[in-house]
Amino acid sequence: MSELEQEKSLQSIKKTISELKTLSETSDIDLSAEIARLEEKAKQLSEDYYKNLSPWQRVQLARHGERPTTLEYIEAIFDDFIELHGDRVFGDDQAIIGGIASLNGQPVTVIGHQKGRNTKENLQRNFGMGHPEGYRKALRLMEQAEKFGRPIVTFINTAGAYPGIEGEKRGQSEAIARNLREMAGLEVPILCFVIGEGGSGGALGIGVGDRIYMLENSYYSVISPEGAAAILWKDSTQAQRAAEAMKITSHDLKELGVIDGIVPEPKGGAHLDKKAQTDFVKGFIEQGLQELTTLSKEELIEQRYEKYKKIGEVIEKENMD
Amino acid sequence: MFKDIFQKKQKKKYIVVPQNQEQTRKEIPDGIVIKCKKCQHILYTKDLEKNLKVCTQCQYHYPLSARERIGSLVDEGTFVEFDAEMTSSNPLSFPEYEEKIASDQKKTNLQDAIITGKGMIESYPVVIGVMDPSFRMGSMGSVVGEKITRAIEHSLKTKTPFLLFSASGGARMQEGVLSLMQMAKTSAALKKLDKAGLLFISIMTDPTTGGVSASFASLGDINMAEPGALIGFAGRRIIEQTIRQKLPDDFQTSEFLLEHGQLDQVVHRHELKKNLATILQLHQ
């Protein structure tokens, strides 16, 4: 069955169920057995449907306007969050936020891209697209975490670092590059969660860590599907095709050995049950920190290095240097 | 005029001189003379080659191939190449990727977009990586990332300064997120080098953009660039589309970056070897 057919048949069963329910309420006929049978069928169908979402459908879910944002995860998972502002050099980037909080009583530093809920918020947050000062604030807070021996949790959700004049002038490249290098050497555990869009260098700029997790319907890519399509086929409407070719879903990245785990999402997407979603993420944070807590600083950094060293695939011919 | 006729004739009748294998790819077209693509001045190809491919009139720096670069800098007979046979696989089974790699290998006589190795510059030992913009636009996939990382590890093991010449359009799309992760991998290796107190000099050449600019190229203890090179994070077209205005001509040039505090030096190709040697000497 194609995706569309699946969705149609699911809709029609749901309609029948609601009709039968109305009928059984307004008349004396007992339809409970039939309703239960149909509900079971609907459940099965919807499970199949959501298990087999196409990469492009997942991109849509990753970008969904109602999807939980970094601040929502922070509020649901941690206590005593205090937001800390500014890079001490230029300004305070509201597209990347951070601060200190406690997780079940343990102090942690939390950092993430923050998207807005509506146009007004999105303008304030610049759609979660960071400037150099945002990446520099993130690094300042991470170094502070290292000083006080606090683990770091990052939430990644950006289409990319902002492509603009000011960013270039203030060293967008350098800010991201420095974060990559410094995150590789921080002597505290780092857990990274791609909660929505994992857009290229802008995502990676707060995404080097000991455990990288992706929410089931998030994506992580070197370039947006639209951008890739425009370059490869000179046609941004081929984004769907690019989304498939570039292998950007959580399942793809798990298979490629880039990420450590997939955080399940409630059926239909994270936005449909935020409580369940934040609980899932919290479970992964607790588990991740527990796995890393026994490692010495040296082991932590060496394992992090080896993790990245392994990523990639090359062919080596024999008899070489 | 007689002169005009003569010039026209000459234009049509190029004499093709035989090229050695390193020059099969042509930024500078075959022939005795060429018109500088920047200032339109007519130059003798021979003079241009002798001048390290810098226009004798306007100082425009033509791209150098990785082998030309090594030839121009590394003391004769001292260069030893690392991982010369390493090539790209097609990890995502990306359509037409293998064909593109094969065709660029044939065109450039390179296995991928970088050559790494060790050698001496004015008798100072270095580990060196040189990207080649003519292979898949110098883009970074697994091979480029792995070769750079191994070169850095060699530098670490032998306590030798590391030099990297960037020339790249950014991460290689056809290897998707694996290309992106090479940014993290190379930067992590540079962290080790940094901790060990070893010198890393980054030399940005035309172009150094995207994922390469946002990783190792920006992480030198000293970051320098050749004059007039395009250096930046986002592509010009993307920025223009995003902000809906036209960018000034000098935007994202070496000189623009120097002015905004993003570079240590802009160094003319003729001064490069001496400049590097002095820096190496000061770090002995």
Side-chain angles (χ1 to χ4, degrees), chain B residues 34-44 55-58 62:
Chain B
I34 68 150
K35 198 199 256 176
C36 174
K37 76 175 193 187
K38 193 91 176 174
C39 71
Q40 317 291 315
H41 191 84
I42 305 291
L43 303 158
Y44 282 104
C55 172
T56 49
Q57 289 300 306
C58 71
Y62 280 86

Side-chain angles (χ1 to χ4, degrees), chain A residues 86 91-97 125 129-135 137:
Chain A
D92 184 41
D93 188 347
Q94 300 210 47
I96 300 178
I97 59 152
R125 301 290 182 185
M129 301 170 89
H131 277 80
E133 52 273 22
Y135 292 96
K137 168 169 71 177

Side-chain angles (χ1 to χ4, degrees), chain A residues 94-196:
Chain A
Q94 300 210 47
I96 300 178
I97 59 152
I100 48 177
S102 82
L103 176 79
N104 309 325
Q106 180 189 10
V108 293
T109 287
V110 194
I111 290 162
H113 300 104
Q114 181 63 33
K115 286 190 182 180
R117 274 264 161 269
N118 47 48
T119 310
K120 190 173 162 238
E121 270 180 41
N122 259 324
L123 288 176
Q124 178 199 345
R125 301 290 182 185
N126 201 30
F127 297 84
M129 301 170 89
H131 277 80
E133 52 273 22
Y135 292 96
R136 289 177 180 136
K137 168 169 71 177
L139 182 59
R140 182 176 76 81
L141 297 180
M142 290 190 274
E143 286 172 342
Q144 184 191 67
E146 183 182 44
K147 171 176 174 181
F148 294 105
R150 291 192 286 265
I152 298 163
V153 180
T154 75
F155 295 105
I156 294 162
N157 190 15
T158 184
Y162 188 69
I165 295 181
E166 292 303 311
E168 298 287 330
K169 280 185 185 168
R170 296 199 288 274
Q172 189 74 280
S173 286
E174 195 272 348
I176 291 173
R178 180 179 295 267
N179 282 15
L180 305 185
R181 182 182 67 193
E182 296 309 314
M183 288 182 89
L186 289 172
E187 295 178 337
V188 289
I190 307 171
L191 306 180
C192 308
F193 290 84
V194 183
I195 57 173

Side-chain angles (χ1 to χ4, degrees), chain A residues 20-241:
Chain A
L20 288 179
K21 277 185 175 163
T22 324
L23 188 63
S24 69
E25 275 164 21
T26 53
S27 67
D28 281 342
I29 316 162
D30 180 13
L31 293 166
S32 57
E34 180 63 7
I35 290 171
R37 194 185 64 80
L38 284 174
E39 276 178 338
E40 183 54 37
K41 195 174 171 195
K43 194 178 154 213
Q44 191 55 48
L45 262 177
S46 87
E47 258 162 32
D48 288 350
Y49 176 70
Y50 288 115
K51 215 184 288 167
N52 298 315
L53 288 176
S54 71
W56 186 241
Q57 286 174 313
R58 291 190 201 275
V59 169
Q60 303 311 313
L61 281 175
R63 291 172 175 170
H64 198 286
E66 292 296 314
R67 203 169 167 84
T69 66
T70 293
L71 277 171
E72 286 171 87
Y73 284 102
I74 292 176
E75 201 172 302
I77 295 169
F78 306 96
D79 299 311
D80 305 322
F81 175 66
I82 296 176
E83 188 178 348
L84 301 173
H85 295 272
D87 71 338
R88 298 295 184 272
V89 180
F90 180 81
D92 184 41
D93 188 347
Q94 300 210 47
I96 300 178
I97 59 152
I100 48 177
S102 82
L103 176 79
N104 309 325
Q106 180 189 10
V108 293
T109 287
V110 194
I111 290 162
H113 300 104
Q114 181 63 33
K115 286 190 182 180
R117 274 264 161 269
N118 47 48
T119 310
K120 190 173 162 238
E121 270 180 41
N122 259 324
L123 288 176
Q124 178 199 345
R125 301 290 182 185
N126 201 30
F127 297 84
M129 301 170 89
H131 277 80
E133 52 273 22
Y135 292 96
R136 289 177 180 136
K137 168 169 71 177
L139 182 59
R140 182 176 76 81
L141 297 180
M142 290 190 274
E143 286 172 342
Q144 184 191 67
E146 183 182 44
K147 171 176 174 181
F148 294 105
R150 291 192 286 265
I152 298 163
V153 180
T154 75
F155 295 105
I156 294 162
N157 190 15
T158 184
Y162 188 69
I165 295 181
E166 292 303 311
E168 298 287 330
K169 280 185 185 168
R170 296 199 288 274
Q172 189 74 280
S173 286
E174 195 272 348
I176 291 173
R178 180 179 295 267
N179 282 15
L180 305 185
R181 182 182 67 193
E182 296 309 314
M183 288 182 89
L186 289 172
E187 295 178 337
V188 289
I190 307 171
L191 306 180
C192 308
F193 290 84
V194 183
I195 57 173
E197 294 190 271
S200 197
L204 191 62
I206 58 167
V208 177
D210 304 296
R211 295 285 187 275
I212 316 298
Y213 305 108
M214 282 175 75
L215 267 60
E216 195 179 354
N217 295 316
S218 64
Y219 80 88
Y220 203 169
S221 180
V222 67
I223 182 171
S224 71
E226 290 86 350
I231 294 172
L232 289 168
W233 302 297
K234 316 276 173 237
D235 180 2
S236 61
T237 61
Q238 297 278 326
Q240 206 161 334
R241 188 172 154 207

Side-chain angles (χ1 to χ4, degrees), chain B residues 36-86:
Chain B
C36 174
K37 76 175 193 187
K38 193 91 176 174
C39 71
Q40 317 291 315
H41 191 84
I42 305 291
L43 303 158
Y44 282 104
T45 313
K46 215 166 60 185
D47 289 350
L48 191 63
E49 300 281 348
K50 250 195 283 178
N51 204 34
L52 295 174
K53 290 196 177 171
V54 177
C55 172
T56 49
Q57 289 300 306
C58 71
Q59 307 302 312
Y60 172 73
H61 285 49
Y62 280 86
L64 288 184
S65 73
R67 289 206 174 84
E68 285 169 334
R69 177 73 69 180
I70 291 165
S72 77
L73 276 176
V74 179
D75 300 347
E76 215 180 320
T78 65
F79 186 72
V80 180
E81 189 174 347
F82 300 156
D83 305 310
E85 297 299 314
M86 192 190 291

